[in-house]
Amino acid sequence: MRRTDVVSIAFVVPLQGPTGIYGPSCLACGQLAVEQLNVRDGIAGRQVELVQVDAGRPPEVVAEEVGRLVDTGRVDAVAGWHISAVRVALTRRIGGRVIYAFAAMHEGSDDTPGVFMLGERPVNQLLPATHWLREHRGARRWVVVGNDYVYPRVTGSVAQEALQGTGSEIVQSEYVPLGTSDFRSVLDNLSAAKADGVIMLLMGQDAVHFNRQFARQGLSEKLLRLSTAIEENTLLGAGPGANEGVYAAAAYFDGLETVESGKFAQQYYARFGRFAPALNAVGESCYEAIRFLARLGEVSGSIARSAALPTGHFYDSPRGLMRLDGNLVDQDVYLAAADGLEFRIQEQIA
């Protein structure tokens, strides 16, 4: 029988496949969040435990495992970073029966009851980044290269429509299956395209393969790359020679140097040491999701499906001051340029 003094959270993060590269960072940040909560009041006065679910498997497999956990009452809530294809399968399976804190950047909306979308969205991530790169680097014509599932396709479509009449445009789009490792045909098309840059909507190891092959083909000197998903693990995986001309837009970077991010980094490295998994936007978002559930419990007294926070509610996080807008979150977003194996913040863009 489950203990009633424990809050159990299905912690859905990738441990294999193309996005498995993010897994160690997710696990470490999730562990840190739980340890910090449990030395105090946990969530709504109950200790917290994570029930780990591997989100690197096919979406329907992940959704069925989480569904069984919800069906049996094994978990009280769902949280974590995973691709939107997994989110769609999850919401279809669990049907808004528990609170679901979705940590990843997303395409803009999900009105499933109980779902909170905590990540960045195109309007405050991709679009300001393209405007900045037009003004500072002269990049006006873009090619989208993304994985073939809901987030890249919807984000690419939103960007194409939103950039009309702005001085920037998307001239070509190409989508490849998740798990692609050979980008020869994509790169040949890029070589022929009259473009200034590539909007990369590729995840994890796919982005690593793409960046290595991109650099080997000599495209780094011709085209910028802008990504909403590249983080410190991806830079490490590709190697410094593949990262020239790479820009990333996100609400968190390891080198952000705000008061809030600096405190979080200090706590993280004090706990896990200098050889800890890379601290990045993906891992921090998992910390974010668990701390959001704690905030929900603090204000509402529980994290039952009926728990809610009012629109306009503010709360603090390693990302700074966060503002709830319905089930979405408004947050500061930064543009960073790759410098070898690190990111250098260029400017706050949203």
Side-chain angles (χ1 to χ4, degrees):
M1 182 178 296
R2 237 192 75 199
R3 292 172 53 189
T4 58
D5 61 341
V6 173
V7 171
S8 295
I9 301 169
F11 189 48
V12 188
V13 297
L15 304 177
Q16 61 181 291
T19 56
I21 191 174
Y22 308 138
S25 301
C26 293
L27 294 177
C29 287
Q31 182 180 343
L32 180 62
V34 168
E35 290 176 357
Q36 290 179 343
L37 290 171
N38 283 345
V39 297
R40 304 183 69 180
D41 298 325
I43 294 180
R46 298 160 65 189
Q47 292 287 284
V48 185
E49 70 169 4
L50 300 181
V51 179
Q52 190 174 298
V53 177
D54 182 3
R57 298 168 295 167
E60 293 74 18
V61 174
V62 180
E64 184 57 32
E65 180 174 342
V66 175
R68 288 196 301 270
L69 292 171
V70 173
D71 292 345
T72 60
R74 176 66 182 85
V75 298
D76 302 288
V78 177
W81 190 102
H82 36 272
I83 64 173
S84 289
V86 172
R87 187 196 80 239
V88 170
L90 274 175
T91 54
R92 188 182 299 123
R93 175 63 174 81
I94 63 178
R97 290 153 52 201
V98 296
I99 295 293
Y100 176 11
F102 180 64
M105 68 283 175
H106 56 88
E107 58 276 10
S109 67
D110 188 324
D111 58 5
T112 304
V115 174
F116 289 92
M117 310 278 277
L118 306 180
E120 305 92 333
R121 41 187 158 152
V123 69
N124 65 1
Q125 186 182 26
L126 182 59
L127 300 181
T130 59
H131 297 333
W132 192 95
L133 289 168
R134 182 186 69 234
E135 294 172 3
H136 292 82
R137 297 295 306 272
R140 297 177 178 275
R141 294 169 58 84
W142 295 93
V143 175
V144 173
V145 177
N147 287 122
D148 191 6
Y149 70 93
V150 58
Y151 168 75
R153 281 196 171 272
V154 173
T155 299
S157 178
V158 167
Q160 182 157 11
E161 182 175 349
L163 288 178
Q164 292 180 3
T166 67
S168 300
E169 62 178 327
I170 292 174
V171 298
Q172 183 177 313
S173 299
E174 191 160 355
Y175 297 93
V176 300
L178 193 64
T180 295
S181 59
D182 185 346
F183 287 91
R184 279 176 294 185
S185 63
V186 174
L187 294 172
D188 287 343
N189 291 337
L190 284 177
S191 297
K194 295 180 179 179
D196 305 309
V198 181
I199 293 175
M200 289 177 54
L201 301 176
L202 298 167
M203 299 297 121
Q205 194 64 41
D206 288 20
V208 170
H209 290 305
F210 178 83
N211 282 340
R212 288 174 177 170
Q213 294 166 37
F214 186 96
R216 283 201 297 267
Q217 196 151 322
L219 292 172
S220 299
E221 299 174 0
K222 303 175 183 178
L223 298 170
L224 299 177
R225 282 163 287 170
L226 168 62
S227 175
T228 56
I230 282 184
E231 41 62 70
E232 285 77 356
N233 280 309
T234 315
L235 296 187
L236 290 169
N243 297 329
E244 180 184 352
V246 169
Y247 289 83
Y252 183 87
F253 293 93
D254 190 15
L256 191 52
E257 295 184 350
T258 62
V259 172
E260 298 89 349
S261 66
K263 180 180 178 182
F264 176 63
Q266 184 179 34
Q267 293 169 342
Y268 180 84
Y269 290 113
R271 172 62 182 85
F272 297 110
R274 60 181 297 196
F275 298 111
L279 187 53
N280 54 25
V282 175
E284 188 278 336
S285 73
C286 292
Y287 179 94
E288 194 80 43
I290 296 167
R291 295 303 295 245
F292 174 81
L293 292 177
R295 181 63 175 169
L296 182 64
E298 179 184 357
V299 174
S300 299
S302 79
I303 57 169
R305 167 62 190 84
S306 58
L309 293 173
T311 289
H313 181 83
F314 286 91
Y315 64 97
D316 292 317
S317 90
R319 298 185 176 201
L321 193 61
M322 311 281 275
R323 177 185 179 275
L324 199 65
D325 180 11
N327 72 331
L328 306 176
V329 171
D330 292 328
Q331 56 199 296
D332 296 337
V333 176
Y334 302 85
L335 185 72
D339 180 8
L341 300 178
E342 299 177 331
F343 280 112
R344 303 295 181 195
I345 305 299
Q346 304 299 295
E347 194 169 325
Q348 181 179 335
I349 58 173

